[in-house]
Amino acid sequence: MIDQLGFQHVYQPPTAERSGTPTLLLLHGTGGTEMDLLQLGRMLAPEAGVLSPRGKVLERGMPRFFRRLSEGVFDEEDLKVRTAELADFIAAAAAHYQFEPRRVIAAGFSNGANIAGSLLLLRPEALGGAILFRAMVPLVPPALPHHHDTPVLISNGRQDPMVSVDETERLADLLRRSGAAVTVEWQSGGHELTPQDINGARRWLEPLI
Ligand code: MLT
């Protein structure tokens, strides 16, 4: 069931009392749900609020955040529409749950990282930062956005059969040319998340909390 804010989702308020605590926007991979990354979110930032939507596109029954034509080949028109929908959902959720929209930090895996990348490129106001695990170039916009040092971590695997080293570098370059402050952390493995990803992301996130 899609709720009044537009996405089936979980929201958990921050456990810290102080103001300015960020909200982690958790974006699952293909076949995931809004429950998948809740534990990851707690490991990354135990005190942060959490907003975790379920992707609305179904690929043979598997939830995703946008359509693809084949593996790694995206339906760009759908991606643009879904990116706008997700940005509007974040704004609606911020008003509804009373969190600061500029303090939203995405943490996305695979398909979730790709829509987070698309938010950074098409709706730069939607996120205050992003952790992209196993991300690809989602699309190249006709005009680059203007970020003011939005912090972005790309944590990709050197042996990933789905995302080449070259593609990771193209994504980092695209985001840097858009004004984002990009850190790339290389993991030795493939497409699966490892404890090193989580430790690296936790360290990267610490000064932003
Ligand atoms: C995508 O479709 O976003 C990528 O191929 C990664 C994935 O399999 O979800």
Side-chain angles (χ1 to χ4, degrees), residues 29-30 64 66 68 71-72 74 110-111 114 136 162 191:
T30 300
R64 288 176 49 85
F66 57 91
R68 64 179 162 182
E71 198 177 282
F74 303 146
S110 193
N111 182 245
N114 293 339
M136 300 170 174
M162 291 174 74
H191 203 67

Side-chain angles (χ1 to χ4, degrees), residues 28-29 33-34 43 50 53 57 59-60 79 96 108 115 120 122 127 129 135 141 148 165 181 190 192:
H28 62 78
T33 72
E34 67 279 19
M43 288 193 274
V50 163
V57 168
E59 184 184 272
R60 296 191 304 278
L79 175 54
H96 183 77
I115 193 126
L120 289 168
L122 297 176
L127 297 177
H148 301 284
V165 169
E192 299 306 312

Side-chain angles (χ1 to χ4, degrees), residues 30-79:
T30 300
T33 72
E34 67 279 19
M35 308 308 287
D36 272 34
L37 301 184
L38 293 178
Q39 208 189 343
L40 173 80
R42 282 286 151 251
M43 288 193 274
L44 291 178
E47 297 190 338
V50 163
L51 180 65
S52 185
R54 180 187 297 201
K56 289 201 272 190
V57 168
L58 286 180
E59 184 184 272
R60 296 191 304 278
M62 295 186 296
R64 288 176 49 85
F65 286 97
F66 57 91
R67 277 164 48 89
R68 64 179 162 182
L69 306 174
S70 61
E71 198 177 282
V73 183
F74 303 146
D75 177 337
E76 264 199 39
E77 286 318 303
D78 187 64
L79 175 54

